[in-house]
Amino acid sequence: MTLRIITADERQAEARGIKAVIFGKSGIGKTYLLLTLDDGTTLFIDLEAGDLAVQHWRGASIRPRTWEECRDIALFLAGPNPALRDDQPYSAKQYARVVEAYGDPARMDGFVTIFVDSITVAARLCFNWCRGQPEAHSEKTGKPDLRGAYGLHGREMIAWLTHLQHARGRNVIFVGILDEKLDDFNRKVFVPQIDGSKTGLELPGIVDQVMTLAEIKMDAPIGKAPPAPFRGLVCQTINPWGYPAKDRSGRLNMLEPPHLGQLFQKIRTPVPQGVAHDPPPLALAAPTDIPTT
C-alpha cells in the first residue's frame, strides 16, 4: 500500500465547505438568516417546524421528526465512514440501507449549503431517544439511569455533528438558542441551550465558525445621543460582550452584517501570498442589517 501524500496545490484546489454554528436568543432572527442564502442550492432541515418567519423562502426543506431520521439524513448527505463497523449508525452498511430507502444520493448534489434549525431541538430528539435505550437503564434494577442516558446522549450528538462536519464539499450551518445566566459570582454568562453539557463544550472545536447573532448597543460619544441598536454577528472570541464566537478563517471582523451569503464570500476570499494572516480589526461602523419584511 502506497502512502498518499496530498500536495499544497491539491489541498488548495479541494472543494471544502464552511461549518458554522450560530447562537442567539429566541426571536433575534436566526431562522431569518436563511433568506440571505441562495435558495436554489440550500437545503433547510426544519427541526422546529418554525418556518413561519421564512414562509416566502423559495428553497427546499425537509422536516425530520425522530432522532433516527436525523442520523439517516446526516448519513445520506455526508456519505459513510469506512472506518466504522456494520452495526454502527454511519457505516457503509447503514449507508446502503439509507440509499435503498431514500433513493439516489446524487439528487442531493445540488445542495451546497445545509441549514439546520435547530441544534437545540436536535438535542431534545436525541435525548428522548437515548432515554429509551438499554444503556439508560440500570442493569440490576431496570430503572431509568439518567447518567447513562446523558452519557449516550453526548456520544450520539458528537457523532452526528462530526459526521455532518465531514460533508467536505458542503457548508453546514447549525442554529441554536443562547441562554443568558448568572455564574457563581453573579456574573452574566451565555450558555448554548443544548441538553447535556458535553455537546455544548465540544461543539466549538468541531465547527470552523462560531457566531452569535445579537442586538448590539454601542456607547454614545461624549455629548451626543447613543446610536440606535442594530443586529450583528459577533465573530471573534475576544469580544466586549462575552458572546460565544470563533473565527478559524481569520478573515472576519469582530462584528459582521447578518448576511450569510456575504459572510461566506468573505471567508473564501484568498489571502495574497506573503501577507500576514492576522485577524481583521473590530468593525467600527454598524453593519447594514438585513430587511425585516
Side-chain angles (χ1 to χ4, degrees), residues 106-144:
R107 66 193 180 97
M108 310 300 285
D109 288 349
F111 294 119
V112 176
T113 301
I114 310 300
F115 189 92
V116 183
D117 188 12
S118 67
I119 192 174
T120 302
V121 176
R124 291 173 188 161
L125 293 177
C126 179
F127 187 64
N128 287 337
W129 177 86
C130 290
R131 291 180 66 182
Q133 302 310 303
E135 189 172 331
H137 295 80
S138 170
E139 293 183 358
K140 294 182 178 179
T141 65
K143 293 182 178 179

Side-chain angles (χ1 to χ4, degrees), residues 168 170 286:
R168 233 180 135 70
R170 289 191 168 105

Side-chain angles (χ1 to χ4, degrees), residues 155-215:
R155 295 194 298 276
E156 282 284 329
M157 285 296 298
I158 296 303
W160 183 66
L161 293 166
T162 302
H163 196 75
L164 281 170
Q165 191 265 348
H166 280 85
R168 233 180 135 70
R170 289 191 168 105
N171 307 315
V172 182
I173 304 165
F174 302 101
V175 174
I177 298 174
L178 192 67
D179 288 337
E180 181 180 318
K181 298 182 178 181
L182 295 176
D183 66 9
D184 295 339
F185 299 97
N186 209 35
R187 296 173 301 193
K188 182 169 62 175
V189 294
F190 298 97
V191 180
Q193 191 182 103
I194 302 175
D195 285 333
S197 60
K198 184 178 179 65
T199 305
L201 291 173
E202 295 196 23
L203 179 57
I206 295 173
V207 297
D208 304 310
Q209 310 293 136
V210 178
M211 297 172 279
T212 296
L213 181 62
E215 181 184 33

